[in-house]
Amino acid sequence: LAEAGKEVHFLLHSDYDFVAQHGLRVDSVRGDFHLKHPSIYKTTADMPLCDVVLVCLKTTHNELLKELLPPLIHKDTLVVLIQNGLGIESDLADTFPNLSIAGGLAFICSGKVGEGHIVHSDLGKISIGGYGFSSSPELEAVCADMVQSGIPADISPDLMLMRWRKLVWNIPFNGMTVVLNTTTDKLMSCPQTHELSYQLMLEVVAGANACGVALTVDFAQKMMAMTEKMTPYSPSMKLDFDYNRPLEIEYIYTRPLLEASRRGCDMPRISMLEKQLRFLTVR
Amino acid sequence: LAEAGKEVHFLLHSDYDFVAQHGLRVDSVRGDFHLKHPSIYKTTADMPLCDVVLVCLKTTHNELLKELLPPLIHKDTLVVLIQNGLGIESDLADTFPNLSIAGGLAFICSGKVGEGHIVHSDLGKISIGGYGFSSSPELEAVCADMVQSGIPADISPDLMLMRWRKLVWNIPFNGMTVVLNTTTDKLMSCPQTHELSYQLMLEVVAGANACGVALTVDFAQKMMAMTEKMTPYSPSMKLDFDYNRPLEIEYIYTRPLLEASRRGCDMPRISMLEKQLRFLTVR
């Protein structure tokens, strides 16, 4: 967005001093670029009011939002949570009852490889959807800005379906690569973990259906076929674990389990995986 | 048994030469002893016919029994399988349809710590039960020999109940200490794995009940309370894993799953644990 000339204000943390001096470098499969003087801040208190806030935090830090957001929001601000998991929007709405909230699902392989240095190695689509509304001028404008900036973006009319769809992949592979200390390709090439991955996906489908979301078994089969073709891959939770960062267990596992359980749907394998992950993080 | 003066013939493998020279040393909580010249053999072909054969192999080597046993057995020989898991006796009966078979469950903490050197650190009770019969003169004689030798032994009229009871502990703790690379005390002190251990036990109870075995939830609760009081412990499967030995997955996990599944009983958490163990052993 910034490279395309949109007005973007970045909140930085540990990289602030480096980026102030050297700018922000992005090595992308869509073309490398370098922002020499991005508009950066150490705290949201110093930032202007914003029409759109793109929240790209790990959900493990979402409790910071109640302090980060107030300096940024005016009455029409749209906050887009580009994060994985379930229940993120409802938690934010509990804190800010009048806020316009959207969710964003990023289908991208990218990561920070050094100070002020991001590598974008594959994919890049983003889907956004309103929380409690299917469309709004602000939501259309965000999507249009992204598309104009060369980002493949679309608006989904069903945010919850999008969130559950992404869980179909995230629930088996984030957790299993951590618990079994491995990569997706090895899980797929062992007949037992291949079957278990599919069983976990089917539990996600059952949970979604219990919550009134029209996810289908067909979609799980597509995710299996897609994963079979992937090169060896370490999901974000595996990287977080390897680098001793907190894991996004709450919104990827605990909340879906809770939502399904409230509707009488038991997901025993997902529940077991969640407990194994909880154990590994209290080490 | 040998220390008490009974006629015992030992089949040895890698320790044969050492024991031939130095004898067999047992450091036991019940009193240390040293057998200077035990009757040892490299192969069962050299051994005499035996009234009783105590099979103390890991079940991962049970396919050897079809060659090991024939030189030892006469028409009244009783073969006692002192091993963990389900389906061991029926597999042996498939190979030797006319053989008298019993199962033995050892409640003991002991292990080989060096060539010809065994440490027995705690407990020591053994329960034996006939396979397809509840009592016989041979079974009574084995039990009497053990008791006369100072081994706390008894005969159980219900071998399958005994086997399922032992699985109540073995299924959660053998597998979970391997998958999560830990010890029993750590699993018990984390609320999530504490709950998961109990859930796994309840699945064992359900599986046993489906198979017509009168195991109760009460027994699972007792096993939880017992494990809470145990000092940090690595079950035999964890030791096997750490020393790169094959794991007893087949008889401890796969067969109970199969037996329960045949009666329409699904054990999803146990099935998941079995798949995780299978994955870890194909590394």
Side-chain angles (χ1 to χ4, degrees):
Chain A
L1 290 164
E3 171 69 1
K6 308 289 177 193
E7 183 187 338
V8 182
H9 305 282
F10 294 89
L11 176 66
L12 297 187
H13 187 226
S14 56
D15 285 14
Y16 181 87
D17 291 336
F18 183 93
V19 175
Q21 216 178 334
H22 304 284
L24 190 58
R25 185 175 150 202
V26 178
D27 297 344
S28 169
V29 282
R30 299 250 173 77
D32 303 347
F33 59 89
H34 183 221
L35 300 174
K36 284 201 180 108
H37 301 290
S39 174
I40 64 172
Y41 303 84
K42 277 186 170 172
T43 159
T44 56
D46 298 334
M47 294 170 85
L49 291 177
C50 295
D51 297 329
V52 178
V53 179
L54 302 179
V55 175
C56 307
L57 293 172
K58 286 272 171 187
T59 53
T60 48
H61 291 122
N62 272 20
E63 83 284 357
L64 299 175
L65 291 175
K66 66 177 180 297
E67 276 120 44
L68 291 175
L69 288 179
L72 304 176
I73 56 185
H74 57 66
K75 75 178 179 44
D76 295 319
T77 297
L78 178 68
V79 174
V80 187
L81 301 172
I82 306 179
Q83 303 182 304
N84 286 320
L86 204 74
I88 313 169
E89 292 87 6
S90 73
D91 279 1
L92 189 62
D94 285 346
T95 313
F96 300 97
N98 300 313
L99 189 64
S100 289
I101 303 172
L105 280 299
F107 300 89
I108 190 168
C109 300
S110 70
K112 198 178 93 169
V113 294
E115 283 193 299
H117 187 189
I118 286 159
V119 166
H120 166 209
S121 56
D122 205 1
L123 306 176
K125 194 191 152 189
I126 184 160
S127 289
I128 55 177
Y131 176 69
F133 62 95
S134 58
S135 189
S136 78
E138 290 78 11
L139 195 64
E140 302 282 349
V142 176
C143 186
D145 277 352
M146 287 181 173
V147 171
Q148 281 166 28
S149 307
I151 302 163
D154 61 19
I155 292 175
S156 163
D158 190 341
L159 176 60
M160 288 307 121
L161 176 60
M162 276 201 319
R163 290 226 165 271
W164 278 100
R165 277 188 169 195
K166 199 151 187 202
L167 290 173
V168 169
W169 196 91
N170 276 330
I171 281 180
F173 295 110
N174 274 279
M176 295 266 281
T177 52
V178 170
V179 170
L180 297 175
N181 188 31
T182 191
T183 45
T184 53
D185 57 309
K186 294 205 173 65
L187 292 174
M188 294 305 279
S189 65
C190 163
Q192 286 84 8
T193 45
H194 186 282
E195 186 185 354
L196 177 54
S197 301
Y198 185 59
Q199 290 173 329
L200 285 161
M201 287 186 179
L202 292 183
E203 288 192 359
V204 180
V205 172
N209 293 346
C211 294
V213 172
L215 196 57
T216 61
V217 168
D218 184 60
F219 184 78
Q221 288 164 349
K222 274 184 205 160
M223 286 298 101
M224 288 296 287
M226 186 271 285
T227 312
E228 273 164 21
K229 281 181 227 138
M230 277 169 61
T231 50
Y233 186 65
S234 290
S236 60
M237 187 173 281
K238 179 62 162 71
L239 298 178
D240 287 339
F241 186 74
D242 290 345
Y243 289 101
N244 269 306
R245 296 188 295 242
L247 305 189
E248 298 186 280
I249 303 173
E250 186 66 25
Y251 289 108
I252 296 181
Y253 292 93
T254 313
R255 289 295 283 273
L257 282 163
L258 186 67
E259 294 302 320
S261 156
R262 277 180 182 156
R263 279 101 178 167
C265 177
D266 191 24
M267 305 193 286
R269 292 172 185 84
I270 299 175
S271 164
M272 175 159 165
L273 190 50
E274 188 235 15
K275 288 179 168 61
Q276 292 180 323
L277 290 168
R278 294 279 183 196
F279 176 83
L280 290 172
T281 56
V282 294
R283 283 177 318 176
Chain B
L1 290 163
E3 172 70 3
K6 309 287 176 193
E7 183 186 339
V8 182
H9 305 280
F10 294 89
L11 175 66
L12 296 187
H13 186 227
S14 56
D15 286 13
Y16 181 88
D17 291 336
F18 183 93
V19 175
Q21 217 177 331
H22 304 283
L24 189 58
R25 185 176 149 201
V26 178
D27 297 342
S28 169
V29 283
R30 299 252 171 75
D32 303 346
F33 58 91
H34 184 222
L35 301 174
K36 284 201 179 107
H37 301 291
S39 172
I40 64 173
Y41 303 82
K42 279 186 170 172
T43 160
T44 56
D46 298 334
M47 293 170 83
L49 291 178
C50 294
D51 296 330
V52 178
V53 179
L54 302 179
V55 175
C56 307
L57 293 173
K58 287 270 170 188
T59 53
T60 48
H61 291 121
N62 272 21
E63 83 284 359
L64 299 175
L65 291 174
K66 66 177 180 295
E67 276 119 46
L68 291 175
L69 287 180
L72 305 176
I73 55 186
H74 57 68
K75 74 175 180 48
D76 294 319
T77 296
L78 178 68
V79 175
V80 187
L81 301 171
I82 306 179
Q83 301 182 305
N84 286 321
L86 204 74
I88 313 168
E89 292 86 6
S90 73
D91 280 1
L92 189 63
D94 285 347
T95 314
F96 300 96
N98 300 314
L99 189 63
S100 289
I101 302 172
L105 280 300
F107 301 89
I108 189 169
C109 300
S110 70
K112 197 179 95 170
V113 294
E115 283 193 299
H117 186 189
I118 286 159
V119 166
H120 166 210
S121 56
D122 205 0
L123 307 176
K125 194 191 153 187
I126 184 161
S127 288
I128 55 178
Y131 176 69
F133 62 93
S134 57
S135 190
S136 78
E138 290 78 11
L139 195 64
E140 302 280 348
V142 175
C143 185
D145 277 351
M146 287 180 173
V147 171
Q148 282 166 27
S149 306
I151 302 164
D154 61 19
I155 293 175
S156 163
D158 189 341
L159 175 60
M160 288 307 123
L161 176 60
M162 275 203 318
R163 290 227 164 269
W164 277 101
R165 277 188 168 194
K166 198 150 187 203
L167 289 174
V168 169
W169 196 91
N170 276 330
I171 281 181
F173 294 111
N174 275 279
M176 296 266 281
T177 52
V178 171
V179 169
L180 298 175
N181 188 30
T182 191
T183 45
T184 52
D185 57 310
K186 295 205 172 63
L187 292 174
M188 293 306 279
S189 65
C190 164
Q192 285 85 9
T193 44
H194 185 282
E195 187 185 354
L196 177 55
S197 301
Y198 185 58
Q199 290 173 329
L200 286 160
M201 287 185 179
L202 292 184
E203 288 191 0
V204 180
V205 172
N209 293 345
C211 293
V213 172
L215 195 58
T216 61
V217 167
D218 184 60
F219 184 78
Q221 288 164 348
K222 273 184 206 160
M223 286 297 102
M224 287 295 289
M226 185 271 284
T227 312
E228 273 164 21
K229 281 181 227 136
M230 276 170 62
T231 50
Y233 186 65
S234 289
S236 60
M237 186 173 281
K238 179 62 164 69
L239 298 177
D240 287 340
F241 186 74
D242 290 345
Y243 289 101
N244 269 306
R245 297 188 293 243
L247 306 189
E248 297 185 282
I249 302 173
E250 187 65 26
Y251 290 107
I252 295 182
Y253 292 93
T254 312
R255 290 297 282 273
L257 282 164
L258 186 68
E259 294 302 320
S261 157
R262 276 180 182 156
R263 278 101 177 167
C265 176
D266 191 23
M267 306 193 286
R269 292 172 186 84
I270 298 174
S271 164
M272 176 159 165
L273 190 51
E274 187 236 16
K275 289 179 167 60
Q276 292 180 324
L277 291 168
R278 293 280 183 197
F279 175 84
L280 290 172
T281 55
V282 293
R283 283 176 317 174

